[in-house]
Amino acid sequence: MQLPNKFLCDYKRLLRLLNSGAVFCAVDTETTGLSVAQSRVIELGAVLFDSSGVLDTFSSLINPCCEIPAGATSVHHITNEMVACAPSAKTVLSDFVNFAKDAILVAHNARFDLRFINNELELCGMDALKNKAIDTLALSRWAYPAAERHNLQYLAHAMGIDVESAHRAYDDAKVCRHVFLRCLKDTEAVQKK
């Protein structure tokens, strides 16, 4: 299972990239567990954006064709009944690949989400994502080295960002977009050097 071609880690260039008209796609997944080999994606949410604002949104539950463990449901509150009539992974991933196109993917703890997405693509006989990617977890550690924590909900609270439904893919993708933009704003002076 492959990860995207390149994680962008030169954070000083991100503001220029945003201002140059680059299109980004904040993305998040919810899964049946933490092991890529033994778990499946059950929800995918994304926000397509550029410097002018939100361009489009994407949100779908996915029928994993397996039971969702109670421990996973206790985190994201997605039940077996909720995914019973949801579309297949192949349908949702085809739609997502078409939605994201060649946008730069932005995710909090990106390796987790992108490994899961690429594993699902592989299981469906589809090509892995080739998009460049940015991990807002690593970005926030660079931007706020003295922060007590760097998880998405902590950062959102510290930044005054409204978290509607934590641990739901679309809402976490929206929060991730806000955290990304706030990191760029708060480090603008450093990035212009």
Side-chain angles (χ1 to χ4, degrees):
M1 159 188 14
Q2 302 171 8
L3 283 176
N5 284 345
K6 184 177 180 183
F7 274 84
L8 301 177
C9 298
D10 186 352
Y11 303 129
K12 292 182 179 180
R13 293 188 178 172
L14 290 181
L15 186 62
R16 284 190 294 247
L17 191 58
L18 178 68
N19 291 335
S20 73
V23 175
F24 297 85
C25 181
V27 61
D28 189 68
T29 61
E30 299 303 331
T31 64
T32 60
L34 300 177
S35 167
V36 174
Q38 299 172 352
S39 304
R40 301 296 304 269
V41 175
I42 56 173
E43 187 176 40
L44 182 60
V47 179
L48 199 67
F49 66 99
D50 64 11
S51 61
S52 68
V54 174
L55 303 172
D56 203 355
T57 61
F58 182 93
S59 180
S60 182
L61 289 170
I62 297 172
N63 186 334
C65 299
C66 65
E67 292 292 312
I68 302 171
T73 296
S74 71
V75 173
H76 48 56
H77 307 292
I78 298 171
T79 65
N80 290 303
E81 294 75 24
M82 291 168 67
V83 299
C85 294
S88 69
K90 187 166 189 165
T91 298
V92 174
L93 290 169
S94 294
D95 291 345
F96 173 72
V97 168
N98 186 51
F99 172 84
K101 294 187 175 67
D102 60 352
I104 299 167
L105 302 176
V106 179
H108 204 75
N109 194 12
R111 292 184 192 281
F112 177 87
D113 293 294
L114 298 179
R115 278 190 181 116
F116 267 95
I117 291 170
N118 281 332
N119 186 61
E120 290 289 345
L121 287 165
E122 184 178 305
L123 291 171
C124 294
M126 300 167 69
D127 292 335
L129 295 171
K130 303 283 192 263
N131 306 57
K132 292 180 181 175
I134 297 165
D135 185 351
T136 54
L137 176 60
L139 174 62
S140 72
R141 288 178 175 151
W142 172 78
Y144 314 108
E148 185 178 317
R149 288 177 294 196
H150 293 275
N151 67 58
L152 193 60
Q153 279 65 44
Y154 176 84
L155 291 169
H157 179 72
M159 294 174 176
I161 298 168
D162 182 31
V163 178
E164 294 171 31
S165 294
H167 302 294
R168 288 301 303 265
Y170 175 65
D171 289 325
D172 283 354
K174 287 192 308 185
V175 171
C176 183
R177 172 184 168 266
H178 287 294
V179 167
F180 171 73
L181 294 172
R182 180 66 179 270
C183 286
L184 296 190
K185 179 179 181 244
D186 289 351
T187 59
E188 185 172 1
V190 174
Q191 294 183 65
K192 289 186 175 179
K193 290 181 181 179

